[in-house]
Amino acid sequence: MMLTDTKRNGMPKIAAVLGATGSVGRQALDVARHADIRVDLLSANRDAAGMEALAREFLPTYCVMADEAAAKDLRLRLADTEVCVLGGASDLTESIAMSKAETVVNAVLGAAGLAPTLATIDAGKRLALSNKESLVVAGELVMGRAREKKTEIIPVDSEHSAIFQSLQAGRASEVRNLWLTASGGPFFGKSRAELASVTLQQTLAHPTWKMGAKITVDSADMMNKGFEVIEAVHLFGVKPSQVRVVVHRESIIHSAVEYIDGAVIAEMSLPDMRMCVQYAMSYPERASGVCAPLDLATMGELHFAAPDSENFPLLPLAYRAVLAGGALPAVLNAANEVAVAAFLSEKLSFLGIGELVGETVEKLSFSQNEHTLEGILNYDTEARREAAALLSKNKG
Ligand code: NDP
């Protein structure tokens, strides 16, 4: 009797992993190892040493470093291999088109993920999308381009993966609300006065997920949940008012869909991004994975609470940005990238992040009238300049 090998169910033969040296990128490579997927393209920004190790293991056709100096370094490191090392943003988009990958996992950090998202769509490859900023910055354009090119975008973000899976229980016209769960991060329940003195170390200690530094900070001040609201609006074509946020401390229910008959269909599993990456690759099939099973009998209790919008104002600000539309969500994201980088290098306090983002959004609120890609990218640059200027003014 031949045993069926379920670990390859629905899996692509060849894939690309962008942002390969990061938290999600490394977990995507774990999925590739487990399912014997050939990795044809790897990308990162500056971590040439990390990339060298990955390239020696996976022997991809292309390795792209966004940073040109890092590409030079990597070229020397891999001189004894056949790997083609490229450098810069345009080389990344070209290598996506040239690669034989059927699925591209985009786990690049920040707005830099937008160009590879568009290149993947244009190349007609399945996009397993972890880079939420692509949809925050230019959600309408990205989704419009995917419809035009008939390219599949399958979410990797755990909440959106859960919603994507739960949506299979009904029709789009039968959806009343989407419920996005939020762990609440390390500071849930804290007052503004308490938040004023939190440290970088405390902020990076997420209670349930182990993630890259930037998204860990975004989770602590609820900006990440705000970005996910925007991401959900675009991915699933719902109104902002249909995306409801609920704090769920245990991160077991990853999100849910509420239907018009009152049924709420949720996806539950242990918090492990590898499951989300794997499903984005195997959909519509399911493969036996690398993740530990969830034992409901030992779960005990699950808790839910309303989010605290007063002490965590970045969540309501994200609703405001997506309602206004245009380039305002891009401004929100760009200002946040500047603010979080300053916080991570201890040049800004935790509460300073929200203040800087709020001030930048106020200054550029007229950007809501811009709808072209070029115009949105100009506002991204403008918002970074404005946020940096405010940062140095507030310090001075
Ligand atoms: P990390 O910071 O851990 O990794 C980011 C990756 O992107 C690295 O490979 C980094 O390269 C690369 N990168 C950074 N800047 C650039 C750039 N300018 N151009 C090209 N590549 C770049 O991030 P995460 O893995 O935590 O997050 C990645 C994305 O996934 C984000 O959009 C995040 O919101 C989303 N996400 C993450 C989750 C998680 O569990 N971590 C969960 C859900 C979504 P280098 O190492 O060289 O700097």
Side-chain angles (χ1 to χ4, degrees):
M1 193 182 79
M2 231 181 55
L3 286 173
T4 325
D5 188 0
T6 52
K7 71 178 184 187
R8 285 217 31 85
N9 277 3
M11 285 300 202
K13 284 198 177 68
I14 312 177
V17 178
L18 315 181
T21 49
S23 164
V24 175
R26 287 183 182 278
Q27 295 181 78
L29 290 171
D30 228 11
V31 173
R33 277 185 200 102
H34 176 77
D36 301 325
I37 296 169
R38 165 155 169 73
V39 180
D40 189 45
L41 163 63
L42 289 171
S43 91
N45 187 21
R46 294 205 178 101
D47 183 3
M51 183 59 102
E52 180 191 356
L54 295 177
R56 288 194 183 278
E57 178 187 352
F58 289 95
L59 293 174
T61 310
Y62 306 103
C63 251
V64 190
M65 304 301 288
D67 182 82
E68 303 273 4
K72 228 183 217 176
D73 179 4
L74 186 65
R75 218 166 272 133
L76 289 176
R77 289 170 181 267
L78 293 176
D80 60 322
T81 71
E82 307 263 287
V83 178
C84 172
V85 178
L86 301 164
S90 62
D91 276 7
L92 177 56
T93 54
E94 278 172 34
S95 65
I96 291 169
M98 290 185 300
S99 156
K100 291 199 171 65
E102 301 143 61
T103 298
V104 176
V105 180
N106 184 353
V108 169
L109 180 70
L114 175 60
T117 282
L118 292 172
T120 304
I121 292 172
D122 288 346
K125 300 174 193 292
R126 174 182 288 191
L127 176 61
L129 185 62
S130 183
N131 175 264
K132 65 190 77 182
E133 295 88 346
S134 296
L135 291 171
V136 172
V137 172
E140 264 175 46
L141 296 166
V142 166
M143 296 310 291
R145 183 92 69 101
R147 277 191 295 274
E148 185 193 319
K149 303 275 178 184
K150 299 189 172 44
T151 306
E152 289 176 301
I153 301 181
I154 317 288
V156 167
D157 215 351
S158 58
E159 293 78 0
H160 304 76
S161 174
I163 290 170
F164 184 79
Q165 294 177 58
S166 305
L167 280 171
Q168 289 161 44
R171 297 198 180 99
S173 60
E174 295 162 351
V175 171
R176 187 187 285 152
N177 289 311
L178 307 180
W179 284 90
L180 273 185
T181 52
S183 72
F187 305 139
F188 178 65
K190 286 205 187 297
S191 65
R192 290 297 278 176
E194 288 167 320
L195 290 173
S197 58
V198 299
T199 64
L200 175 59
Q201 207 188 358
Q202 289 168 327
T203 308
L204 291 178
H206 195 278
T208 49
W209 289 97
K210 205 172 169 333
M211 309 179 284
K214 154 82 168 44
I215 186 176
T216 306
V217 176
D218 289 345
S219 298
D221 63 16
M222 297 293 276
M223 182 75 272
N224 180 54
K225 209 47 57 183
F227 287 153
E228 288 177 1
V229 169
I230 302 176
E231 187 183 4
V233 164
H234 294 300
L235 266 177
F236 306 117
V238 295
K239 293 191 213 110
S241 59
Q242 287 177 285
V243 186
R244 314 264 319 257
V245 173
V246 61
V247 174
H248 164 49
R249 297 295 282 158
E250 293 85 2
S251 300
I252 292 295
I253 294 185
H254 296 297
S255 278
V257 176
E258 175 190 340
Y259 287 94
I260 47 176
D261 59 358
V264 175
I265 309 290
E267 187 268 333
M268 300 169 77
S269 50
L270 292 172
D272 188 333
M273 285 306 292
R274 293 176 303 176
M275 185 177 286
C276 311
V277 175
Q278 177 180 297
Y279 187 72
M281 286 184 160
S282 70
Y283 169 81
E285 293 185 47
R286 285 188 183 271
S288 55
V290 273
C291 308
L294 173 66
D295 180 359
L296 283 175
T298 60
M299 271 327 302
E301 293 174 48
L302 298 178
H303 298 86
F304 302 93
D308 174 359
S309 294
E310 216 163 285
N311 289 313
F312 296 87
L314 286 170
L315 178 60
L317 187 61
Y319 274 102
R320 197 186 124 197
V322 71
L323 268 170
L328 204 58
V331 166
L332 176 76
N333 175 69
N336 184 62
E337 285 192 27
V338 172
V340 174
F343 175 71
L344 287 172
S345 49
E346 303 197 73
K347 291 185 187 128
L348 189 65
S349 67
F350 181 75
L351 286 182
I353 300 172
E355 286 159 13
L356 187 65
V357 172
E359 272 185 75
T360 311
V361 166
E362 275 322 318
K363 285 218 160 191
L364 297 178
S365 58
F366 51 85
S367 63
Q368 68 183 56
N369 300 319
E370 178 58 63
H371 294 275
T372 66
L373 183 58
E374 199 192 352
I376 288 172
L377 294 177
N378 285 339
Y379 273 117
D380 172 287
T381 309
E382 177 65 23
R384 283 169 207 271
R385 203 179 301 130
E386 187 63 51
L390 284 169
L391 188 63
S392 53
K393 191 174 115 199
N394 294 350
K395 259 196 304 180

